[in-house]
Amino acid sequence: MTGLFPEGFRWGAATAAYQIEGAVAAGGRTPSIWDTFSHTPGAILGGDTGDVACDHYHRYREDVALMAKLGLADYRFSISWTRVLPVDGRSVNQAGLDFYSELVDELLGHGVRPLITLYHWDLPQYLQDRGGWTNRETAQRFADFASIIAERLGDRVPSFTTLNEPWCSAFLGHASGEHAPGLRDNAAAFTAAHHLLLAHGLGVQALRAGLPAGRDVSITLNPAVIRPASAAQQDQEAAELADLVGNRVFLDPLFHARLSPELVAATASVTDWAFVREGDLGLISSPIDFLGVNYYTPAIVGRAPVEQGNPWPGIDGVFAHPHTDPQTAMGWQVEPEGLTNLLIALSHERPGLPMVVTENGSAYPDTVDAHGQIFDGERSCYLRAHVDAVAAAIQAGVDVRGYLVWSLLDNFEWAWGYSQRFGIIHVDFATQERRLKESGKAYAQIIAAHGLGSDTPDSSC
Ligand code: IFM
């Protein structure tokens, strides 16, 4: 497909602070919940931590030069909250701000537009010590943080995202315990989900108040593309429940200023939703400029537990089933049409709201050959197929404004540690050497052709 991407469509790449920065004690930074969690024995595969990660904190100039070489128009990164507010959430740490300010200048100097995500999961540990996202006060603290970033970086940064994938923060962090802070408490997960949304709403207000005119404000979700494991009634029911807990929990407050009555009924034995106060839903549904959409794979769910299937976080009696081939190294089914369908469905959810694919990518076990080359054909194929899927959504009339590949660099993949490589740039974690993978070259061609042009052959896909 070619010629299907509108003129202003933007190509980029995404990362997150804890996954790449390292330098966890540099410049006055203090621990976040991910520092604590990754140092908890048994929490992370191989005992890995983000202590060093890609050492991007010290190597950002090299990384920005690579972005420019790829031809990226946009670079989405997140801010480490405890670099900027290391102690009490109020005294600003100039050294932390300087790092991001210099990064922004470096990007602009290379013609790459900086897109900031305020919260990509690394809550200050000092806030977790007071209840974290189960404490309503955390939402206000987030808004304070948003004001500071708007004031200090808003002069040069055109686009701000409040939260990345609040489903993961709420449900992987508080229900399944796979992510920091590692709780297994369904009630806490719903409380956290609401306070994250409240943080978003207060954050939107703070950003609008502190930013110059013309800046974009958004949130990034990872809506679940859910399919029942079979046509059986009980699996259909499982899919409906997973949709409530995976999607409606965020979409209804954000886009319809209401709680889903079906969700409230389905969770009646877990929570009474008393943490939702008057005025909250109005704040949460504050207008945004675009919706960030992250997509990797569909979710197949059923009522019966299956071998290698995990319980669906947040609700009892629903199980995620293992995926069928083709799969990535994460065991995630490759299904590009899931992205097309998701974008179409979201365009009906909130007609007129533009979207940006803020993350999409794949992990494969790369090898570096004797010449230092990484032939990651599967990743290139995944990339092409998903770019095509975005083109199909645009052709169907969806207003998609950009595509950001996950990820720029191989990095710390949360509970999976360094075992999973998502980068289009290979990182040797022993030497920190960066090498452009074949998929990186393929992406550079896609960017140069503004889509899948004739100079981006399908190779062996
Ligand atoms: O690495 C993560 C990222 O931090 C959030 N979205 C999904 C990616 C792959 O798991």
Side-chain angles (χ1 to χ4, degrees):
M1 282 186 173
T2 186
L4 290 173
F5 291 94
E7 211 163 294
F9 189 90
R10 301 183 69 89
W11 305 93
T15 63
Y18 189 69
Q19 293 182 272
I20 65 163
E21 284 180 4
V24 290
R29 180 188 180 279
T30 59
S32 76
I33 54 174
W34 269 96
D35 296 275
T36 308
F37 191 64
S38 68
H39 282 270
T40 304
I44 310 294
L45 196 67
D48 292 341
T49 73
D51 287 4
V52 178
C54 308
D55 196 27
H56 172 77
Y57 182 82
H58 295 113
R59 293 166 197 266
Y60 71 90
R61 288 198 172 83
E62 179 186 351
D63 294 336
V64 172
L66 285 165
M67 295 177 212
K69 196 169 156 189
L70 286 164
L72 300 189
D74 286 351
Y75 172 56
R76 169 182 182 245
F77 61 97
S78 76
I79 306 261
S80 160
W81 191 333
T82 56
R83 276 198 202 288
V84 176
L85 294 165
V87 189
D88 58 5
R90 293 211 166 84
S91 330
V92 177
N93 175 31
Q94 193 54 46
L97 271 174
D98 286 349
F99 167 67
Y100 293 109
S101 183
E102 284 161 25
L103 172 61
V104 164
D105 287 342
E106 190 74 10
L107 287 162
L108 293 171
H110 282 78
V112 182
R113 211 170 62 138
L115 314 182
I116 285 182
T117 297
L118 291 171
Y119 186 71
H120 198 123
W121 307 353
D122 43 359
L123 188 74
Q125 183 60 44
Y126 60 77
L127 291 182
Q128 186 61 42
D129 295 342
R130 298 203 279 278
W133 289 113
T134 64
N135 180 354
R136 189 178 170 92
E137 171 65 17
T138 299
Q140 188 55 54
R141 293 306 192 88
F142 174 79
D144 298 342
F145 170 51
S147 294
I148 291 162
I149 299 301
E151 185 194 318
R152 307 297 177 99
L153 300 177
D155 57 336
R156 286 157 292 154
V157 174
S159 183
F160 292 80
T161 298
T162 54
L163 311 177
N164 179 69
E165 300 181 355
W167 179 82
C168 296
S169 305
F171 291 95
L172 301 183
H174 298 77
S176 72
E178 291 158 72
H179 281 189
L183 303 187
R184 286 164 200 253
D185 174 348
N186 286 351
F190 289 104
T191 313
H194 178 66
H195 291 154
L196 280 152
L197 282 170
L198 184 62
H200 160 75
L202 292 167
V204 170
Q205 307 273 314
L207 289 169
R208 298 271 188 227
L211 289 172
R215 302 299 190 257
D216 284 342
V217 175
S218 63
I219 185 171
T220 280
L221 302 179
N222 58 328
V225 174
I226 296 166
R227 287 216 311 271
S230 78
Q233 175 69 22
Q234 57 171 12
D235 289 343
Q236 305 283 336
E237 271 171 33
E240 280 161 26
L241 284 169
D243 179 53
L244 292 175
V245 175
N247 293 326
R248 301 312 329 164
V249 63
F250 295 109
L251 296 176
D252 276 47
L254 280 169
F255 297 134
H256 308 293
R258 65 168 188 227
L259 291 179
S260 152
E262 293 85 4
L263 173 65
V264 172
T267 54
S269 63
V270 177
T271 177
D272 60 6
W273 294 84
F275 44 77
V276 181
R277 297 196 192 156
E278 204 179 332
D280 287 2
L281 293 163
L283 272 171
I284 292 166
S285 57
S286 300
I288 52 176
D289 299 301
F290 69 85
L291 173 65
V293 179
N294 292 356
Y295 171 81
Y296 292 84
T297 189
I300 321 294
V301 301
R303 269 295 196 189
V306 285
E307 213 186 321
Q308 293 176 334
N310 294 317
W312 187 263
I315 192 117
D316 292 335
V318 177
F319 297 88
H321 285 220
H323 288 184
T324 53
D325 288 340
Q327 295 176 29
T328 69
M330 297 286 283
W332 293 351
Q333 192 164 314
V334 179
E335 198 177 294
E337 53 280 20
L339 177 55
T340 310
N341 295 336
L342 174 61
L343 292 166
I344 292 172
L346 289 168
S347 74
H348 295 147
E349 184 77 39
R350 184 66 144 78
L353 183 65
M355 283 180 269
V356 173
V357 176
T358 39
E359 284 183 30
N360 172 246
S362 54
Y364 289 103
D366 303 314
T367 50
V368 183
D369 75 8
H371 307 287
Q373 312 257 58
I374 299 110
F375 289 99
D376 57 336
E378 288 170 302
R379 186 176 291 102
S380 301
C381 291
Y382 181 102
L383 177 61
R384 289 191 176 111
H386 286 78
V387 166
D388 240 348
V390 177
I394 292 172
Q395 203 170 30
V398 184
D399 184 1
V400 190
R401 303 275 174 98
Y403 174 90
L404 311 179
V405 72
W406 185 270
S407 182
L408 180 75
L409 303 166
D410 291 335
N411 59 48
F412 176 78
E413 178 51 26
W414 308 111
W416 296 81
Y418 297 99
S419 68
Q420 300 290 329
R421 293 180 175 273
F422 274 92
I424 55 170
I425 294 172
H426 183 273
V427 177
D428 179 330
F429 291 107
T431 63
Q432 292 296 344
E433 187 178 348
R434 274 80 161 135
R435 290 188 182 93
L436 193 57
K437 300 180 190 177
E438 285 302 307
S439 61
K441 296 176 193 167
Y443 192 40
Q445 283 186 336
I446 290 172
I447 295 171
H450 200 51
L452 294 167
S454 53
D455 50 348
T456 51
D458 245 7
S459 66
S460 55
C461 299

